[in-house]
């Protein structure tokens, strides 16, 4: 079932012997610093696709007493750390998968009773020589074992928050579960380390948390565990080299999660990749949307269709490549209590549908794979104008390649008319409409807004990825109530093309203007010739 006292090393061998292995063993250096201290309570919340369970398996193999796990770890990074030998195989490990208990029972009471029963059975079997005051009281049994043996426990709880996802609206069930965890773990000497993994941070009640002894690490504040949340850019580059895959394509499809941590006195930002998708792409050689193998767009649709003011507008702007500023402080760490759009967007960060940028407190859609999930969800909703704009973007891109100025101007105008969520009031609004109108360009290009050049910033730049080197690079300059020709001349006068000199001979310059009086767009396209 779901409890293991001193689980065998077979759990970790599975991770080591998988087709792709990335060494994340230095996570143990972080947890070793927590063992036996006030910081011994650790809760790590990250999306399902980010390999939560494998981390728990690794901790179980490392800490468990009664075996020598040195052969598993001696060639890994943790072996070079000073704390490696001090904590290896020094603790009795209890590993629990809460999802298994939840699946086998019909109520939170039944779930907790089954778990107590299984734990007590394992404890009595392992410590049969210890005299117990109350064999049916889990807390007292563990106190008696610790008093008699001096042996403390490493307690690993996987999928700790599954109850909050299953019983989303049952506040009483949630409270009973949190009260159980608090009574079992808080202020107990028998706990050397309690490590919980899940998707959601710990639930808040009122102004405080029922489990306030836990140090929390999440997608909005991963702290010193940031590099262990997924695959880092350096790790993905090494995998691409090993398997002969395009790093540029891997980056376009699966990058975009930004995690920040303070190292010493310096802020370090990690580009984080979803391990599940990267592994699938490395093994198959096909860059595709692997999200739907573990998630369904229906879950996303539930949240983005909520009727909070500004939510639809924010989703459309993020589809166009913008970042949206949010306040994560009001989120209640559950899936039903929303005070406004910021709480919905914060939940989407924890579910992996958005990336949180700590430095400027904004969110964005991280990559091509996740963006496709938004399109899948929106295509089944009543956002028909957005889907039409996305579908029309294929033809609009072809018109641009063909240098059909009239077709491009009309296409942008149609996108503006259809996407009522985007009201024009400046060049930034125009840029957002253009970005969404050319949504399909991301199939071939890396699209950069405010692209830095020698003498300023180009409004939009489409840089073809190496796999599509036959496509022209494109510089787009936008004007508000001026002239498309003037926009094009600015590109030339400020020598924007120098930044893309490797594409000379296959470079399109585009000027687009919106006239406030006539409410029309005009477009000028030239092929740049050296």
């Amino acid at each position: 079932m779901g409890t293991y006292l001193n689980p065998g090393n077979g759990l970790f061998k599975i991770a080591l012997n998988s087709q792709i292995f990335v060494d994340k063993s230095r996570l143990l250096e972080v947890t070793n610093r927590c063992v036996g201290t006030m910081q011994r309570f650790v809760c790590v919340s990250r999306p399902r696709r980010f390999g939560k369970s494998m981390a728990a398996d690794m901790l179980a193999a490392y800490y468990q007493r009664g075996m020598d796990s040195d052969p598993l770890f001696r060639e890994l990074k943790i072996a070079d750390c000073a704390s490696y030998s001090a904590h290896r195989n020094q603790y009795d490990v209890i590993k629990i998968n809460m999802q298994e208990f939840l699946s086998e029972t019909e109520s939170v009471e039944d779930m907790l009773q089954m778990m107590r029963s299984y734990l007590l059975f394992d404890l009595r079997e392992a410590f049969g020589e210890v005299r117990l005051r109350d064999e049916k009281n889990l807390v007292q049994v563990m106190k008696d074992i610790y008093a008699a043996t001096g042996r403390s426990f490493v307690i690993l709880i996987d999928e700790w928050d599954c109850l909050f996802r299953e019983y989303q609206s049952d506040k009483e069930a949630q409270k009973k579960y949190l009260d159980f965890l608090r009574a079992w773990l808080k202020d107990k000497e028998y706990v050397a380390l309690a490590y919980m993994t899940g998707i959601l941070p710990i639930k808040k009640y009122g102004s405080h948390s029922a489990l306030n002894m836990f140090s929390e690490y999440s997608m909005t504040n991963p702290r010193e565990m940031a590099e262990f949340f997924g695959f880092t850019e350096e790790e993905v580059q090494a995998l691409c080299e090993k398997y002969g895959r395009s790093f540029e394509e891997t980056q376009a499809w699966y990058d975009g999660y930004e995690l920040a941590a303070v190292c010493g006195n310096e802020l370090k930002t990690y580009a984080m990749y979803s391990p599940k998708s990267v592994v699938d792409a490395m093994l198959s050689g096909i860059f595709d949307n692997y999200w739907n193998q573990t998630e369904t767009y229906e879950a996303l649709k539930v949240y983005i269709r909520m009727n909070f003011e500004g939510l639809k507008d924010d989703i459309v702007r993020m589809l166009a490549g913008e970042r949206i500023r949010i306040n994560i402080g009001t989120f209640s760490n559950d899936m039903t209590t929303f005070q406004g759009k910021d709480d919905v967007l914060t939940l989407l960060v924890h579910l992996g549908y958005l990336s949180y940028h700590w430095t400027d407190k904004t969110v964005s859609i991280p990559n091509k794979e996740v963006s496709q999930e938004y399109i899948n969800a929106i295509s089944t909703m009543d956002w028909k104008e957005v889907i039409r704009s996305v579908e029309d973007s294929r033809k609009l891109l072809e018109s641009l390649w063909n240098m059909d100025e009239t077709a491009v101007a009309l296409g942008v105008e149609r996108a503006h008319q259809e996407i009522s969520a985007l009201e024009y009031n400046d060049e930034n609004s125009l840029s957002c409409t253009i970005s969404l109108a050319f949504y399909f360009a991301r199939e071939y290009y890396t699209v950069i807004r405010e692209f830095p050049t020698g003498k300023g910033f180009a409004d939009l730049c489409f840089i073809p990825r190496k796999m599509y080197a036959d496509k022209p690079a494109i510089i787009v300059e936008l004007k508000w109530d001026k002239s498309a020709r003037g926009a094009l001349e600015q590109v030339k006068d400020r020598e924007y093309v120098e930044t893309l000199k490797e594409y000379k001979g296959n470079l399109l310059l585009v000027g687009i203007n919106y006239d406030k009086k006539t409410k029309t767009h005009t477009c000028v396209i030239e092929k740049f010739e050296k």
Side-chain angles (χ1 to χ4, degrees), residues 47 161 165 168 199-201 219-220 299-300 302-304 306 326-328 331-338 340-354 363 374:
D161 61 334
R165 290 178 266 131
Q168 293 186 14
I199 296 174
L200 296 173
M219 294 295 283
T220 57
L300 174 62
V302 168
Y303 300 110
I304 65 175
M306 287 186 170
I326 68 167
N327 173 19
I328 63 172
F331 183 54
S332 296
N333 298 346
D334 64 26
M335 306 179 85
T336 57
T337 309
F338 302 111
K341 67 173 183 175
D342 283 2
D343 290 351
V344 176
L345 297 177
T346 303
L347 174 61
L348 295 181
V349 171
H350 291 296
L351 295 177
Y353 289 108
L354 292 176
V363 291
Y374 280 87

Side-chain angles (χ1 to χ4, degrees), residues 364-381:
S364 64
I365 297 174
N367 53 49
K368 188 174 175 181
E369 180 185 42
V370 179
S371 182
Q372 185 58 53
E373 285 303 288
Y374 280 87
I375 297 301
N376 291 341
I378 291 170
S379 68
T380 63
M381 295 163 50

Side-chain angles (χ1 to χ4, degrees), residues 38-199:
M38 292 290 289
Q39 286 73 47
R40 66 187 185 275
F41 301 97
V42 175
C43 181
V44 180
S45 54
R46 51 185 168 171
R48 182 178 285 116
R49 301 165 54 78
F50 277 62
K52 305 183 306 297
S53 300
M54 190 173 292
D57 292 344
M58 179 174 68
L59 267 64
Y62 173 77
Y63 286 115
Q64 64 192 7
R65 191 192 303 275
M67 64 162 289
D68 181 11
S69 60
D70 184 57
L72 291 172
F73 292 97
R74 64 172 63 141
E75 301 298 327
L76 304 183
K77 294 176 182 177
I78 183 60
D80 296 327
C81 299
S83 63
Y84 172 60
S85 298
H87 294 283
R88 178 171 48 83
N89 307 130
Q90 297 299 308
Y91 303 94
D92 295 290
V93 173
I94 296 175
K95 181 173 181 292
I96 299 170
N97 186 325
M98 283 294 183
Q99 183 65 58
E100 294 184 12
F101 288 103
L102 185 67
S103 300
E104 291 289 326
T105 53
E106 299 296 327
S107 68
V108 65
E109 292 84 2
D110 290 345
M111 183 190 83
L112 294 177
Q113 182 55 43
M114 175 182 280
M115 191 178 73
R116 287 191 192 96
S117 174
Y118 277 54
L119 282 170
L120 288 168
F121 178 88
D122 288 347
L123 289 166
R124 285 194 296 264
E125 187 175 54
F127 297 95
E129 74 285 358
V130 175
R131 293 183 60 186
L132 304 173
R133 304 181 201 190
D134 184 351
E135 292 189 354
K136 296 182 179 180
N137 186 317
L138 176 61
V139 172
Q140 190 58 52
V141 165
M142 294 184 71
K143 283 183 177 180
D144 291 343
I145 291 172
Y146 178 71
T149 65
R151 288 159 58 169
S152 55
F153 295 85
V154 168
I155 300 172
L156 309 173
I157 304 176
D158 196 14
E159 299 284 357
W160 88 271
D161 61 334
C162 61
L163 182 135
F164 293 90
R165 290 178 266 131
E166 184 70 23
Y167 295 94
Q168 293 186 14
S169 301
D170 192 338
K171 304 301 181 185
E172 188 60 30
Q174 295 174 12
K175 191 172 185 303
K176 285 180 181 178
Y177 177 53
L178 289 176
D179 287 345
F180 164 79
L181 292 176
R182 180 176 55 193
W184 181 34
L185 302 174
K186 188 171 184 178
D187 299 327
K188 300 301 187 291
E189 289 184 292
Y190 55 70
V191 178
L193 174 71
Y195 182 96
M196 303 197 306
T197 69
I199 296 174

